[in-house]
Every structure is written in structure tokens, then in C-alpha cells.
Amino acid sequence: MALGKKLVFPKRKKKKSRVQNKMGKAPGTISYMGDKERSDSVIFSTFYNTDGFQTKEFRTLDEFLKSEQTGHISWVNIIGISDEPFIERLGKHYNLNPLVLEDVVNTEQRPKIDEYEDYIFGVFKMLYISEEDEIVGEHVALVLLENTVLVFQEVKEDVFNGLRDRITGKMGRIRSRGADYLFFALLDAIVDNYFLVIENLNHRIEVLEEDVYNNPEPIVAKNIQQLKKEILKIRRWIYPVKELISRLIDSEHPLIKKDTKLFLRDVHDHTVEINESLQIYREMSMSLMEMYMSNMSNKMNEVMKVLTIMASIFIPLTFIAGVYGMNFEHMPELHFRYGYYVVWVVMIILFIGMMLYFKKKKWL
């Protein structure tokens, strides 16, 4: 190859990333960063106190703002975060910082907690098992105000049905508590659902262990690799939650009452247990690949052992056949009347003797 000649590689089609969509924009720019198809935002609002509750659906922001009530705890559930003007108007109504709204519409935002003078903002990943038995991760943002909790979701599916039943059925203490307890209950529902995800991972690891031992096919290695990636992704979503809950417990913010912090400690204990389980499953997924490679190596050794034994048996037989297959005229054995039968007897004795020897050595 001539010196100085430039190598030309085929160009790969580059996919525009979400980071590139964000680059160059001013901080606080409300720009939806997600994979869902854009749609209008819908508000499902639940007002409640010790006397009763009321649930309404609002298709327009104006309709919602006109219906706001006082003297109640409000759970405002915003479904759909791709409608940027809607999110911006709602944020202005509640005096939310533009940086908060930027994180609300950024589905790649890592879990975080930010404390402001009048509210507390948090971003989390809501994980649940789909009907196809797949782990689904959805972006959810929470804002704790004095008597209101705002919940921003990409899709309507969530893990809060149990909480809704407690409010509508007046079960437990939630109807007699403030917005900070509702904030805790939402976090508790998110974290509790992580246990279902952990169980799903545990089941998949057990299935893969059986496959590794009984059927170490190439597809098993692919499934192990996919599981490892999924565990790492889930760990990236769940791991920071422990520190965030700890921050809420240690917080001096007036919106979080002292008795609510006692319940947050229980959530913190759950996050510690979940993180420990994730670490164990991560190590198990790595050992699964090692077990797979070891089993494949053992399988190959078994094949090589059989081939070696066959070669060892036929080498002396081939030698005898080769000697008497030579075309020399003066070979004494060629004129021996029973030479053919003698050679066959010798070859059979050699074959049986070698088989018995290999068996005695437990090579067979």
C-alpha cells in the first residue's frame, strides 16, 4: 500500500440522540425528550379530606384552573408530558422553576430530589411488569406543594391503583393526613413495585441457570448478556433512590412533617434491601456467563476426548493395514495361507485390549 494513501471507510448512518436535541438550548428550555408519540396532556385530579373525595378529568388547563378547590388535599395527575405549552402554563400557575419543568419533560433524567423554598421536586423511574412479562420503565416527576402533589407521567399506566383505592375507600390513614403523606405514599408505591421487578429478575436468572446446565446453546449466552444489560439499566434507575429518600428524611423543609419522616424510613429500608438484591443479581448474571463458558468448554472437551479415543484405537489398526498394503513382492506374510485371518485376529485383539484399557482408566 502506498504511503500517504487515505483509507476510506463506509459511512454509518448516525441516529440523532436526545443529547443532541438538547445541545445549544438555554437552561430551563422546556423541550420534550422521549420516545412516546406526542399527544395532548390530560389532568386527572383527586380532591379529598376526612369527609370525602372527588375525582375529575380535565381535557383543558383552563377547565382545571377554574375548578381548583381549597380546604382539600389535591392529587393532580398530569398524563402526557409532550405538550410543552401545557406544561409551561401549568408550571407558571404553580410558580415552578423553569429548570424543574425542563426535568419534567426529560425522560432521560436520572432520579433526583431538589428542594425549593415553596416546594420539593423529585424525578423517579416507575417500573412495572407488562402483560408480555417484560420490565417497563416509565418516567415520573413529583412536586410536593403545601396542599397539593403534582404527578407528571408519560402514559396513563402506573403503579398507583392501590393508593387510589385507599383514598376512595377511606382505607388507612391517608385521608386524615396532609400532602406530605400523599407524597410519601406515591414514593412508597413506586418503591414497592420494585420488589415485583426484582422477583422477575430472580425468576429469569433461575430459568437461565437451568438452561446453562441442561442446554448451553448460543441463544442462552445472548439471553444472559441481555439480562446483564437490563440489570445494569435497572440498577442505574434504582440505586440513587436510597440516597434521595435519605435526603428527605434528613431534610429540614417545612413541607415534610416529622411524623411523615418515620414512614419515609420504612421506604429507605426497602430501597436498601432492593439495592442489595440488585447487587447480588448483578454478580449472579456475571457468574452465569462464566458457567456458560465453562459448560461449553466441558462439552468441547468431551467431544475432543471421544475423538482422541477413536484416533488412538485406529492408529495401530491403520499402521497394520498400511504395512500390509505396501506393494513389495518379497513380503513373507503375503504367501502365508492364514495370514489374512491372523491380521484380523491381531487387529480385533488390539481393539478389545485398548477398549478395556480406556475403560479401566475411566476414560470411557
Side-chain angles (χ1 to χ4, degrees):
M1 185 176 67
L3 293 175
K5 188 175 180 180
K6 188 176 181 181
L7 295 174
V8 180
F9 295 96
K11 290 185 177 180
R12 295 178 63 185
K13 189 176 179 181
K14 291 184 179 180
K15 184 179 178 181
K16 195 173 182 181
S17 68
R18 296 173 186 174
V19 176
Q20 288 175 315
N21 291 333
K22 191 175 180 180
M23 288 175 63
K25 295 182 180 179
T29 301
I30 303 172
S31 179
Y32 172 64
M33 297 176 65
D35 296 326
K36 301 291 188 295
E37 188 175 340
R38 288 180 177 267
S39 60
D40 294 333
S41 298
V42 180
I43 294 178
F44 293 90
S45 184
T46 302
F47 308 97
Y48 65 88
N49 57 20
T50 53
D51 298 325
F53 72 94
Q54 187 178 19
T55 302
K56 288 185 179 181
E57 177 182 344
F58 302 96
R59 292 283 173 178
T60 65
L61 185 57
D62 293 330
E63 184 183 355
F64 166 72
L65 296 178
K66 289 176 184 177
S67 69
E68 278 196 293
Q69 302 181 26
T70 57
H72 294 75
I73 301 300
S74 302
W75 174 7
V76 182
N77 217 153
I78 300 96
I79 309 299
I81 56 175
S82 59
D83 189 349
E84 290 131 349
F86 184 99
I87 300 297
E88 186 173 9
R89 280 190 61 201
L90 185 69
K92 286 181 179 178
H93 174 74
Y94 287 105
N95 295 319
L96 301 181
N97 191 297
L99 294 173
V100 168
L101 300 179
E102 181 184 10
D103 290 337
V104 164
V105 297
N106 180 11
T107 61
E108 291 298 313
Q109 176 62 50
R110 293 189 74 232
K112 62 181 291 188
I113 288 283
D114 288 333
E115 295 184 18
Y116 293 84
E117 185 177 353
D118 300 324
Y119 57 90
I120 296 175
F121 170 68
V123 174
F124 300 90
K125 282 295 180 180
M126 181 171 56
L127 306 180
Y128 57 88
I129 309 299
S130 68
E131 294 180 357
E132 293 78 21
D133 200 35
E134 295 178 351
I135 298 173
V136 179
E138 296 290 353
H139 171 80
V140 60
L142 309 176
V143 180
L144 170 61
L145 299 154
E146 186 174 359
N147 292 310
T148 302
V149 177
L150 305 178
V151 181
F152 296 88
Q153 298 174 210
E154 271 196 286
V155 293
K156 191 174 180 180
E157 290 78 13
D158 57 34
V159 298
F160 304 133
N161 288 333
L163 181 56
R164 293 186 181 96
D165 292 340
R166 285 159 57 191
I167 292 174
T168 57
K170 202 177 180 179
M171 294 181 287
R173 58 179 66 84
I174 190 165
R175 290 262 290 271
S176 61
R177 299 276 180 156
D180 59 330
Y181 188 86
L182 174 61
F183 187 79
F184 146 75
L186 291 164
L187 286 178
D188 187 51
I190 292 172
V191 172
D192 281 350
N193 226 63
Y194 290 164
F195 282 105
L196 297 179
V197 174
I198 294 298
E199 287 180 7
N200 180 274
L201 292 175
N202 183 41
H203 173 70
R204 287 169 61 183
I205 288 174
E206 289 177 353
V207 171
L208 283 172
E209 279 182 339
E210 292 293 327
D211 291 339
V212 166
Y213 280 116
N214 302 324
N215 187 31
E217 299 292 333
I219 187 65
V220 176
K222 183 179 178 182
N223 292 337
I224 293 172
Q225 197 65 24
Q226 184 178 352
L227 177 66
K228 284 173 60 179
K229 290 180 180 178
E230 200 160 355
I231 290 175
L232 287 173
K233 181 170 67 175
I234 291 170
R235 187 174 181 270
R236 189 172 66 249
W237 289 339
I238 293 179
Y239 186 77
V241 177
K242 179 182 71 172
E243 296 302 324
L244 299 180
I245 301 297
S246 181
R247 278 182 54 192
L248 286 175
I249 294 171
D250 297 334
S251 172
E252 298 296 331
H253 202 286
L255 286 177
I256 301 181
K257 299 180 178 65
K258 187 176 180 180
D259 57 346
T260 303
K261 292 181 180 180
L262 296 175
F263 297 102
L264 284 171
R265 286 194 180 95
D266 183 61
V267 179
H268 182 267
D269 292 340
H270 290 170
T271 58
V272 171
E273 181 181 349
I274 290 167
N275 278 322
E276 288 175 354
S277 298
L278 271 176
Q279 182 63 26
I280 292 171
Y281 294 156
R282 179 170 176 263
E283 293 172 1
M284 288 177 68
S285 67
M286 296 173 70
S287 65
L288 275 177
M289 183 59 75
E290 294 174 2
M291 288 165 54
Y292 170 80
M293 297 302 295
S294 176
N295 279 0
M296 289 297 290
S297 178
N298 290 338
K299 200 174 180 181
M300 183 61 68
N301 289 340
E302 288 295 322
V303 173
M304 293 303 298
K305 185 174 79 171
V306 172
L307 293 176
T308 303
I309 290 173
M310 291 178 65
S312 300
I313 290 172
F314 282 97
I315 283 173
L317 305 183
T318 306
F319 173 76
I320 294 172
V323 169
Y324 290 101
M326 293 187 293
N327 296 321
F328 292 109
E329 184 177 352
H330 301 289
M331 289 182 66
E333 293 86 354
L334 290 180
H335 303 286
F336 181 55
R337 183 176 179 180
Y338 299 105
Y340 174 76
Y341 304 104
V342 171
V343 169
W344 264 109
V345 169
V346 171
M347 293 172 70
I348 292 171
I349 291 173
L350 277 172
F351 175 79
I352 295 173
M354 295 182 73
M355 291 291 288
L356 292 174
Y357 178 77
F358 292 147
K359 199 164 187 180
K360 185 178 179 181
K361 289 288 187 179
K362 296 183 179 180
W363 295 347
L364 285 175

